[in-house]
Amino acid sequence: MRITIVAGARPNFIKIAPIIKAIEKKQNEGAGISYRLVHTGQHYDKNLSDTFFEELNIPHPNANLEVKSGSQSVQTAAIMIAFEQELLQNPCELVLVVGDVNSTMACAIVAKKLNIKVTHVEAGIRSGDMTMPEEINRIVTDSITDYYFTTSTWAGQNLLKYGAEPSTIHFVGNVMIDTLHQNLDRISAPVFWKEFGLENGNYIILTLHRPANVDEEKSLINLLEGIDSMVGNKKIIFPIHPRTKAILGETNLQLKNILFVEPQGYLNFMYLIKNSFAVITDSGGISEETTVLGIPCFTMRNNTERPETQTIGTNTLVGTSIENLEKFFSAFLQNGPRKAGIPELWDGKASERIIDILLSKK
Ligand code: UDP
């Protein structure tokens, strides 16, 4: 079986790393499976791309479509045009896409129209928020997927509601958590650890990159100022996403606790998360990682496509206003962290399950 694996953006790289390892393990055991890795070039900054390939030992992509930035439609179209050529020149039996970025949806459509089977890893999650480009990507991708791999039984139920055939849905666990398990003993402190006086539990991690939080400069500044004054004398480490950085431009902010740093590589970032007091974020993936690491997470969104991080894990949805965040954060300071657990099958073995199932489909 020849599989083309697609990856385009930072969270994709983290998800494909253990899938490739699982394929290579099967190859070493003599299974008839091979892969070709296609990087669409959606994320191309070294900090968001190359660093993850190096740190997670992901093989150099066989092809880079180099689509770079653009509006939603320009980027989606560019990926489709380039990926069609890629598949025509390098035929395969299966295209594997992960997550919910534009590359996920664009490549799924191209594959399906060339009559190639599509498999979607992290299928079926839904925020119910159609203003998120990711939600549209999820729905479109899942509407043409042949084999679904899910992180929860809830995601499977969503797929059934949309009419998926039950035998095509496989609840396997979470590949992002596979990567976490595989790298926990390799994580390391970033260079600024000592310089900033960081110690276990004396700082907060902040990440913000979703359009609803960062695209309006005034409200972003209001949010940052509010967070800065909310946390007493705790330091706040803010690895700033290029999108957020571009909005702030040269704005001179007077912040006493927030320390801006570049987007971190995976090993430094996981070290920072694991040793933090709490995390404030609008990321989906980070709410999964904090759940497994038992770190309190405050998600600055009105909805989540990963409800198990809230019902089972450490995540609290706080909406997008600073007032709400302050309310939830001061309750946390008073009452301490709540009891939390780890969702079923988030055990580091999802990728192996996926490859076993795909091999059984031959
Ligand atoms: N991440 C990282 N360095 C950073 C910020 C995030 O390694 O400075 C990792 C993070 O641990 C998670 C992934 O990137 O695994 C999430 O990416 P992002 O927030 O961009 O995407 P989302 O999860 O919101 O789709």
Side-chain angles (χ1 to χ4, degrees), residues 168-211:
T168 60
I169 304 170
H170 303 280
F171 170 36
V172 289
N174 192 326
V175 291
M176 197 127 182
I177 302 307
D178 291 3
T179 298
L180 184 59
H181 279 271
Q182 288 171 13
N183 292 284
L184 260 184
D185 60 357
R186 299 177 62 225
I187 61 177
S188 62
V191 282
F192 52 75
W193 181 263
K194 274 209 178 115
E195 181 197 336
F196 288 171
L198 303 186
E199 286 168 19
N200 191 335
N202 80 343
Y203 64 92
I204 289 164
I205 294 289
L206 172 66
T207 81
L208 294 172
H209 72 289
R210 293 236 121 72

Side-chain angles (χ1 to χ4, degrees), residues 10-11 14 52 176 209-210 239 263-264 269-270 283-285 289:
R10 174 171 67 185
I14 301 169
F52 288 82
M176 197 127 182
H209 72 289
R210 293 236 121 72
Q264 297 294 293
F269 191 68
M270 279 306 129
S283 160
E289 292 157 339

Side-chain angles (χ1 to χ4, degrees), residues 224-232 236 254-258:
L224 290 176
E225 288 174 346
I227 293 173
D228 191 60
S229 55
M230 178 188 82
V231 294
I236 304 170
Q254 302 296 321
L255 302 168
K256 60 182 190 321
N257 292 312
I258 297 184

